[in-house]
Amino acid sequence: LYQPIFNVFVELYNIIPGHDTGVVILAMTILVRLLLYPLTSSSIKAQKSMQDLQPKLAEIKKQHAGDTQKQTQATMELYKNNKVNPFASCLPLLIQLPILIALYMVMRDGLVSKDLATGLYAFVSNPGQLNSISFGFLDLSKDAPLLAVISGVFQFIHSKMTMAHTSVPGANSPQRGQFDMGAMNKQMLYFFPFLIIIIGWKLPAGLVLYWAVSTLFSIGEQYYIHKTVHGRK
């Protein structure tokens, strides 16, 4: 993925007025998110479907109490009959990881290189080097702790929205303990944003900017998709 992303990055840099690398990152983020939208949409709808299956999951647990193997078989059969993939919510993140790694390499090389000729396709103009200063003050080649915190806040909001639409049964509910994915989401509500801050603290600001904008885009996507799904009922 490195070379095609590198060339798209440089071509956007050539096209965008002002040659602002930060704006290029924003454009790359929107492009990636639009490409992933069909998968993201399916993932969010799968979360809703999992929530709708809660009563039936509780019934399976009650019917096969004490027999974990039968519970698992019946649960998998329920997922199959309702065409629900319990791991679908993880797919957008897993697909984004290699893109994120490639972007890290692009920014690591591109923002410090004095000559971008190596790796460019013949039809992509060579701007010589990329200006790492974006929006007039932010050096994308260096760490930006404040941006890492902002990214963590966005991640917390996104996780909170995810939990709101995949509610976990209360402590006294007969469904409690059935939906393990919901319990995991609750644990990740605070852990994942904190992890994002820790990792982003020393990463190049360009990469953290990508993650922050991508997460903000996810918040908008989730709001729109859930509004659309509920609006059809």
Side-chain angles (χ1 to χ4, degrees):
L1 291 174
Y2 174 84
Q3 191 171 15
I5 289 179
F6 179 76
N7 279 269
V8 170
F9 197 93
V10 174
E11 185 62 22
L12 286 172
Y13 183 84
N14 290 330
I15 294 173
I16 291 175
H19 302 297
D20 191 315
T21 308
V23 178
V24 173
I25 293 174
L26 296 180
M28 286 286 293
T29 305
I30 293 172
L31 181 61
V32 170
R33 297 302 309 196
L34 288 176
L35 290 174
L36 291 177
Y37 179 78
L39 184 60
T40 304
S41 177
S42 298
S43 171
I44 294 175
K45 290 174 182 177
Q47 290 176 1
K48 181 64 174 62
S49 298
M50 289 287 290
Q51 184 182 3
D52 293 339
L53 289 177
Q54 286 299 299
K56 293 182 179 179
L57 289 170
E59 186 179 334
I60 288 174
K61 184 178 181 181
K62 183 178 179 180
Q63 182 179 356
H64 302 290
D67 193 331
T68 305
Q69 184 175 356
K70 287 187 177 180
Q71 280 186 35
T72 303
Q73 291 175 347
T75 300
M76 291 298 104
E77 188 68 23
L78 179 66
Y79 290 155
K80 182 179 179 181
N81 292 338
N82 288 272
K83 299 180 180 179
V84 173
N85 182 357
F87 304 106
S89 60
C90 302
L91 290 178
L93 180 61
L94 292 176
I95 291 178
Q96 274 199 87
L97 283 177
I99 297 175
L100 195 66
I101 293 171
L103 272 173
Y104 169 76
M105 296 171 65
V106 166
M107 283 181 253
R108 179 198 63 188
D109 299 340
L111 292 175
V112 298
S113 177
K114 301 300 180 182
D115 186 4
L116 301 173
T118 304
L120 283 182
Y121 297 141
F123 55 85
V124 178
S125 300
N126 182 6
Q129 65 181 103
L130 303 178
N131 181 14
S132 64
I133 305 300
S134 179
F135 312 120
F137 67 92
L138 181 62
D139 191 342
L140 299 175
S141 64
K142 298 181 179 179
D143 58 87
L146 179 59
L147 189 58
V149 172
I150 293 173
S151 183
V153 171
F154 286 164
Q155 186 61 54
F156 176 81
I157 295 172
H158 181 243
S159 299
K160 193 77 172 176
M161 289 180 66
T162 300
M163 280 191 61
H165 293 292
T166 53
S167 57
V168 181
N172 298 323
S173 170
Q175 300 175 30
R176 184 68 179 178
Q178 181 60 238
F179 192 26
D180 294 335
M181 189 64 72
M184 185 183 71
N185 285 342
K186 191 172 183 179
Q187 293 175 359
M188 295 296 285
L189 175 63
Y190 298 101
F191 175 74
F192 197 38
F194 179 74
L195 184 64
I196 293 297
I197 294 173
I198 295 300
I199 295 175
W201 198 267
K202 286 297 181 181
L203 282 178
L207 192 66
V208 182
L209 178 63
Y210 167 81
W211 188 262
V213 177
S214 181
T215 305
L216 189 61
F217 203 94
S218 295
I219 293 172
E221 277 182 335
Q222 194 166 60
Y223 175 80
Y224 170 77
I225 292 170
H226 277 293
K227 187 176 180 181
T228 302
V229 170
H230 288 296
R232 289 174 181 171
K233 293 185 177 182

